[in-house]
C-alpha cells in the first residue's frame, strides 16, 4: 500500500485530477501504431491505460507530410489488409474521421527491373510463359515443384529454399526484390520460418508452395475472415490520419509525450515506470501491467532487471537502414506509371531498392497532371548509402526519373524531401529464435510485463495491428 501511495503521489497532475485514472490497469510504452492500437484495444475493454512516448508527437515511424499539393509519407507508405483486425480497427476509428483507402485497381500491378526497363510480374499463365524475368529452365522446372521433397532444415534461409523449390531466376527476379521491398534485407540471411512464415508453412504443411496455395484457396472462410481482403491500403489523407484517430480514441489526457529516460521497475506485484520530463523532473507512475512497443535497442536501459543473457539475445537484432526520397512533379509530361511500384533486384546493381508510385495508388496525393514517387535506397546490402550527401542523393534520384521512369531528361522536380532512417526495418535472421525465446522467458519470469513491437510477430502494418489487438 505504501508503494502504491508513493506512485500515486507522483502521478502527473492530469491524472490526479481524475480519480478514476489513479489506479492504472496498464502503461503502454511507445505511441507508434502498435502502442496506440494496444491502448485503443484496452480502452475498448474498459481498462484504464496511459501511453508514454519519448517524442513530442504520436505516430512513431508513421508520419504524413503535406507540402503544397503533395501528401507523402516519411515512413511506411502502405499496408496490406492481411488480417480481419485491420478492417475492424478502421471501423472502430470511423467516428474519429479515419477512413480506410484501398489502392486503385491499376495499382495491383507490380514491376521488376531487368536489363533496361521494368517488366510486370505475370498474373496469368500466359504472362508467366511470356515473361522475360525467368529462365525457360525454371519456367518448365516449376511444373515439378509440387513433387519435390520438402525441406528438413528449420533454419533454412529464404534464398536456399527458393532456389531448391523454384530455381535461381525466381530468386533473382521475384523473391530477392520482394525481400528488398519488404525487409530491405538479404534473402541469404533472412530465415524463412521467421521472415516469411506463411511461405515456410506452405511447404511444411502441404509439401509444396503450389499444392498449399491451391488448398488454401479452397478453404471456406468465415464472414470475419473475409474481411482480410489482401488489398493494399492507406488512410484517406495519409497514414498519420490513422495514428491521429487512435490518439483521439485513447484520449490526449492519457498520452504523455516527451518522456525521456524511461525505466521500468517491478515493485511487489506492481510495475513502476519512471521518466524525465522536458524540464528534467522525474515522474513515476504505477500499474498492474506494462507493455513495451519500442525497438529492441531501447530495452536494455528500459528494463534493467532483465538477465544479461536474455537482453543480449534481444539486443542482437539487426536493423536495415533506409533512405526514402519523396519526389513530386506538378507535370508528369504524360508519363503514366500505372502500377503499385517497381522493385529492383540486387543482381541488377542499381542504386535503388525500389520506387513506389503513391499517386498511382491513392487519390489526391499530387497535382492532377503530376506524379508522386517514393525512392528507397540503402538496406542491409548497401549501408554505405547513408553516407551520401543530400546533393548526391538528389542527383541519383533525378537520373532515375529519366533512366528508369521515362521522364524527360531536363525534368526538374517541384518537391524533393529526403528522410534517413538508421534503424528502419528489423531483420528476422538466425538470431530471431533466441530472441523470441528470451522474450518468452522474460514474460514468464515477470508477470504483468509484455514485450511487443516489431522485434517479434512480424514487421508489416497488419502484423503490428494484429499483435496490438492480441496484447490488448
Amino acid at each position: 500500500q505504501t508503494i502504491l501511495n508513493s506512485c500515486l503521489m507522483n502521478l502527473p497532475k492530469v491524472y490526479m485530477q481524475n480519480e478514476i485514472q489513479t489506479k492504472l490497469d496498464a502503461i503502454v510504452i511507445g505511441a507508434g501504431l502498435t502502442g496506440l492500437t494496444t491502448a485503443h484495444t484496452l480502452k475498448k475493454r474498459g481498462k484504464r491505460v496511459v501511453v508514454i512516448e519519448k517524442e513530442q508527437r504520436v505516430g512513431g515511424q508513421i508520419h504524413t507530410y503535406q507540402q503544397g499539393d503533395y501528401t507523402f509519407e516519411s515512413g511506411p507508405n502502405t499496408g496490406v489488409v492481411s488480417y480481419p483486425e485491420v478492417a475492424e480497427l478502421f471501423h472502430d476509428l470511423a467516428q474519429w474521421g479515419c477512413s480506410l483507402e484501398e489502392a486503385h485497381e491499376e495499382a495491383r500491378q507490380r514491376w521488376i527491373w531487368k536489363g533496361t526497363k521494368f517488366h510486370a510480374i505475370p498474373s496469368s499463365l500466359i504472362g508467366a510463359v511470356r515473361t522475360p524475368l525467368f529462365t525457360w529452365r525454371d519456367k518448365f522446372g516449376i511444373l515439378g515443384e509440387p513433387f519435390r521433397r520438402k525441406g528438413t532444415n528449420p533454419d533454412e534461409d529464404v534464398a536456399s529454399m527458393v532456389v531448391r523449390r523454384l530455381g535461381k531466376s525466381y530468386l533473382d527476379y521475384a523473391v530477392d526484390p520482394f525481400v528488398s521491398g519488404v525487409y530491405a534485407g538479404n534473402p541469404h540471411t533472412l530465415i524463412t520460418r521467421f521472415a516469411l512464415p506463411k511461405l515456410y508453412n506452405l511447404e511444411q504443411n502441404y509439401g509444396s508452395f503450389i499444392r498449399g496455395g491451391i488448398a488454401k484457396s479452397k478453404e471456406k472462410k468465415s464472414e470475419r475472415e473475409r474481411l482480410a481482403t489482401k488489398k493494399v491500403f492507406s488512410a484517406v489523407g495519409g497514414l498519420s490520419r490513422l495514428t491521429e484517430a487512435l490518439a483521439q480514441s485513447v484520449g490526449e489526457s492519457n498520452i504523455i509525450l516527451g518522456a525521456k529516460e524511461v525505466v521500468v521497475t517491478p515493485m511487489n506485484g506492481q510495475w513502476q515506470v519512471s521518466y524525465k520530463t522536458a524540464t528534467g523532473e522525474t515522474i513515476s507512475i504505477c500499474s498492474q501491467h506494462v507493455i513495451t512497443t519500442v525497438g529492441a535497442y531501447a530495452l536494455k536501459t528500459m528494463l534493467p532487471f532483465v538477465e544479461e543473457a536474455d537482453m543480449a539475445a534481444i539486443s542482437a537484432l539487426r536493423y536495415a537502414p533506409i533512405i526514402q526520397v519523396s519526389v513530386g512533379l506538378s507535370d508528369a509530361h504524360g508519363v503514366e506509371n500505372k502500377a503499385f511500384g517497381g522493385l529492383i533486384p540486387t543482381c541488377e546493381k542499381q542504386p535503388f531498392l525500389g520506387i513506389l508510385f503513391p499517386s498511382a495508388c491513392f487519390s489526391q496525393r499530387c497535382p492532377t497532371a503530376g506524379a508522386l514517387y517514393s525512392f528507397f535506397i540503402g538496406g542491409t546490402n548497401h549501408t554505405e548509402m547513408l553516407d551520401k550527401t543530400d546533393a548526391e542523393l538528389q542527383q541519383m534520384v533525378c537520373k532515375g526519373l529519366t533512366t528508369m521512369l521515362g521522364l524527360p531528361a531536363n525534368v526538374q522536380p517541384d518537391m524533393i524531401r529526403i528522410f534517413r532512417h538508421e534503424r528502419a526495418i528489423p531483420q528476422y535472421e538466425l538470431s530471431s529464435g533466441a530472441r523470441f525465446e528470451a522474450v518468452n522467458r522474460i514474460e514468464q519470469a515477470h508477470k504483468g510485463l509484455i514485450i511487443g513491437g516489431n522485434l517479434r510477430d512480424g514487421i508489416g502494418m497488419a502484423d503490428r495491428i494484429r499483435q496490438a489487438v492480441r496484447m490488448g
Side-chain angles (χ1 to χ4, degrees), residues 5-60:
N5 289 339
S6 173
C7 289
L8 294 178
M9 289 300 292
N10 283 311
L11 280 170
K13 290 181 180 179
V14 67
Y15 301 113
M16 293 300 292
Q17 289 169 358
N18 188 348
E19 187 176 349
I20 197 171
Q21 294 197 38
T22 55
K23 288 188 177 181
L24 297 174
D25 295 300
I27 298 171
V28 178
I29 304 175
L33 178 60
T34 310
L36 291 172
T37 305
T38 302
H40 163 80
T41 306
L42 287 165
K43 281 206 70 179
K44 278 182 62 179
R45 293 175 50 208
K47 302 299 182 181
R48 293 178 287 269
V49 60
V50 166
V51 180
I52 296 178
E53 166 60 43
K54 69 175 182 177
E55 303 296 338
Q56 290 291 350
R57 55 173 289 273
V58 301

Side-chain angles (χ1 to χ4, degrees), residues 383-415:
T383 58
E384 76 282 357
M385 286 295 184
L386 259 71
D387 297 326
K388 297 285 186 183
T389 66
D390 285 359
E392 289 173 323
L393 293 170
Q394 288 188 28
Q395 185 178 19
M396 287 168 50
V397 166
C398 288
K399 182 179 180 182
L401 288 172
T402 299
T403 60
M404 304 190 85
L405 298 180
L407 287 150
N410 61 347
V411 69
Q412 289 297 318
D414 298 278
M415 182 276 295

Side-chain angles (χ1 to χ4, degrees), residues 122-338:
S123 57
S124 65
L125 180 59
I126 293 176
V129 171
R130 292 178 175 175
T131 182
L133 292 173
F134 314 123
T135 65
W136 281 105
R137 176 178 178 177
D138 288 343
K139 288 177 186 178
F140 284 115
I142 202 171
L143 297 174
E145 192 276 337
F147 309 103
R148 296 190 179 108
R149 294 180 181 179
K150 75 179 176 182
T152 57
N153 177 12
D155 292 329
E156 186 174 27
D157 62 76
V158 172
S160 298
M161 174 184 252
V162 171
V163 170
R164 177 170 56 79
R165 297 211 66 86
L166 301 176
K168 191 172 186 306
S169 67
Y170 281 94
L171 169 65
D172 289 343
Y173 289 98
V175 175
D176 172 273
F178 169 79
V179 165
S180 291
V182 174
Y183 280 94
N186 186 338
H188 294 276
T189 60
L190 293 170
I191 303 303
T192 311
R193 68 184 173 111
F194 301 136
L196 300 174
K198 291 181 180 179
L199 189 67
Y200 178 79
N201 289 331
L202 284 179
E203 184 186 38
Q204 292 301 305
N205 296 335
Y206 301 95
S208 158
F209 299 159
I210 294 175
R211 285 209 307 266
I214 293 172
K216 297 290 284 184
S217 69
K218 292 181 178 179
E219 290 180 356
K220 290 185 177 180
K221 294 182 179 179
S222 67
E223 186 174 344
R224 181 171 184 266
E225 288 172 332
R226 286 196 290 272
L227 293 175
T229 62
K230 312 301 182 186
K231 291 185 177 180
V232 171
F233 77 88
S234 179
V236 174
L239 288 170
S240 281
R241 300 294 182 269
L242 170 58
T243 51
E244 288 165 0
L246 281 166
Q248 288 180 276
S249 167
V250 174
E252 290 184 7
S253 63
N254 298 318
I255 301 174
I256 302 170
L257 300 177
K260 306 296 185 183
E261 299 179 32
V262 177
V263 177
V264 178
T265 307
M267 297 186 69
N268 293 347
Q270 290 201 72
W271 292 93
Q272 176 179 285
V273 178
S274 301
Y275 63 92
K276 285 189 177 180
T277 67
T279 61
E281 180 184 7
T282 298
I283 302 291
S284 297
I285 57 179
C286 291
S287 74
Q288 297 296 316
H289 298 84
V290 170
I291 303 170
T292 71
T293 64
V294 300
Y297 48 83
L299 290 175
K300 185 174 182 179
T301 56
M302 187 175 291
L303 307 176
F305 55 87
V306 170
E307 293 288 338
E308 186 175 340
D310 284 338
M311 188 53 70
I314 294 174
S315 300
L317 176 59
R318 185 165 68 125
Y319 288 77
I322 289 180
I323 299 170
Q324 181 176 172
V325 184
S326 292
V327 181
L329 302 173
S330 60
D331 183 0
H333 298 276
V335 175
E336 292 186 306
N337 295 300
K338 294 184 176 181

